[in-house]
């Protein structure tokens, strides 16, 4: 027993070199053909705009990350990869919130668990008891991960977390006179952690939608593309699109 305790103590205090999330994800994760047109090792080569947001998962100076992206622009894959890199390198209790409980279960089963299982490093964190690693509740050796729906206030508000990921927030259940909204309830759970990180994503709906309002409160970063004519870096916007 003493040698085991000694080994645990040394592992706990061991020096851990910082690994950028992009580097870790590209070295450890593999995408399934079930969820990607480019199955195989995870890569940001075709989607360079995800690199900065992905590295924000390992940046302690960033407390809130807002991804206001269009549909089918890899935002869900990006937050999945970023979360898994955080679990591997800086584990903390983690909570995913989706519009509904069905969304949470479907996402876990079809996307997050297969991506988790693609990494040898992450698989070693699984508990030996199979009932401690369920689709929407992971009791890992280093931290707990839960996936819930915004339509279940009790689940959203039931546990303190150091990493909060809210996906498609414009579809979240609104608050009532007796109960705060899902986002507010979830954010309250992060106050127990001084270095908590909150991630919000959604395809924008209206100017009054939650994701656009959060985006307006941040530093509003845009990805710039080289102009095909002069090579100047510009924002890619619909008014610039012309047809023959």
């Amino acid at each position: 027993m003493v040698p085991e305790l000694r080994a645990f103590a040394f592992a706990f205090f061991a020096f851990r070199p910082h690994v950028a999330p992009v580097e870790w994800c590209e070295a450890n994760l593999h995408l399934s053909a079930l969820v990607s047109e480019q199955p195989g090792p995870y890569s940001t080569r075709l989607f360079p705009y995800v690199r900065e947001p992905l590295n924000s998962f390992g940046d302690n100076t960033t407390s809130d990350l807002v991804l206001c992206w269009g549909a089918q622009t890899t935002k869900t894959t990006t937050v999945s990869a970023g979360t898994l890199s955080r679990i591997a390198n800086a584990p903390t209790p983690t909570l995913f919130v989706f519009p509904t409980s069905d969304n949470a279960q479907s996402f876990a089963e079809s996307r997050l668990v297969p991506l988790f299982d693609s990494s040898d490093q992450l698989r070693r964190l699984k508990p030996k008891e199979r009932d401690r690693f369920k689709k929407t509740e992971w009791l890992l050796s280093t931290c707990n991960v839960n996936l819930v729906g915004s339509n279940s206030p009790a689940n959203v508000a039931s546990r303190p977390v150091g990493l909060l990921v809210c996906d498609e927030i414009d579809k979240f259940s609104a608050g009532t006179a007796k109960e705060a909204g899902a986002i507010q309830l979830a954010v309250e759970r992060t106050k127990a952690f001084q270095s908590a990180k909150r991630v919000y994503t959604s395809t924008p709906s209206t100017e009054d939608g939650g994701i656009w309002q959060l985006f307006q409160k941040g530093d509003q970063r845009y990805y710039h593309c080289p102009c095909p004519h002069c090579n100047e870096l510009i924002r890619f916007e619909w008014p610039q699109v012309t047809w023959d």
Side-chain angles (χ1 to χ4, degrees):
M1 189 67 180
V2 172
E4 293 177 358
L5 290 174
R6 184 183 296 113
F8 175 80
F10 277 116
F12 185 80
F13 290 106
F15 170 73
R16 295 182 180 179
H18 175 73
V19 179
V22 168
E23 296 176 8
W24 185 89
C25 292
E26 293 186 332
N28 290 275
L29 299 180
H30 287 71
L31 297 175
S32 166
L34 298 176
V35 299
S36 174
E37 292 183 355
Q38 291 86 32
Y42 177 84
S43 173
T44 61
R45 181 175 60 86
L46 297 178
F47 310 98
Y49 56 87
V50 310
R51 296 179 65 88
E52 183 179 11
L54 185 54
N55 276 336
S56 294
F57 278 83
D59 179 6
N60 289 332
T61 65
T62 302
S63 61
D64 295 81
L65 177 63
V66 179
L67 303 184
C68 181
W69 293 6
Q72 301 301 314
T73 53
T74 75
K75 69 178 181 298
T76 300
T77 300
T78 300
V79 296
S80 300
T83 299
L84 294 182
S85 73
R86 181 67 182 268
I87 292 172
N89 298 290
T92 186
T94 299
L95 176 65
F96 272 92
V97 185
F98 296 86
T100 68
S101 299
D102 287 343
N103 293 149
Q105 182 164 337
S106 175
F107 171 79
E109 183 176 5
S110 64
R111 305 192 67 167
L112 193 60
V113 171
L115 195 58
F116 180 97
D117 286 340
S118 74
S119 165
D120 293 338
Q121 181 180 348
L122 290 175
R123 285 200 306 272
R124 287 194 289 269
L125 303 179
K126 278 188 174 183
K128 294 181 180 179
E129 302 84 355
R130 298 186 62 180
D131 62 341
R132 292 172 62 84
F133 189 90
K134 303 174 184 178
K135 292 177 182 177
T136 57
E137 184 180 23
W138 306 352
L139 303 180
L140 304 177
S141 61
T142 54
C143 66
N144 295 341
V145 179
N146 290 273
L147 298 92
V148 303
S150 69
N151 58 339
S152 177
N155 283 336
V156 174
S158 64
R159 55 186 65 83
V161 296
L163 176 60
L164 169 66
V165 181
C166 298
D167 191 43
E168 292 297 346
I169 67 171
D170 278 16
K171 299 177 182 179
F172 275 20
S173 300
T176 65
K178 296 182 178 180
E179 186 75 75
I183 293 180
Q184 183 178 346
L185 289 173
V187 169
E188 286 294 318
R189 300 306 97 203
T190 67
K191 292 185 176 180
F193 289 80
Q194 186 175 359
S195 58
K197 188 180 298 293
R198 294 162 289 273
V199 181
Y200 311 93
T201 84
S202 190
T203 301
S205 52
T206 67
E207 291 186 354
D208 296 325
I211 196 67
W212 187 249
Q213 292 299 312
L214 285 173
F215 179 70
Q216 295 298 307
K217 295 178 181 179
D219 54 12
Q220 302 178 30
R221 301 185 186 188
Y222 290 84
Y223 186 74
H224 288 68
C225 307
C227 171
H229 304 290
C230 66
N231 216 37
E232 179 183 352
L233 292 178
I234 60 173
R235 281 170 53 184
F236 191 65
E237 299 178 313
W238 274 116
Q240 298 165 343
V241 178
T242 58
W243 308 94
D244 293 338

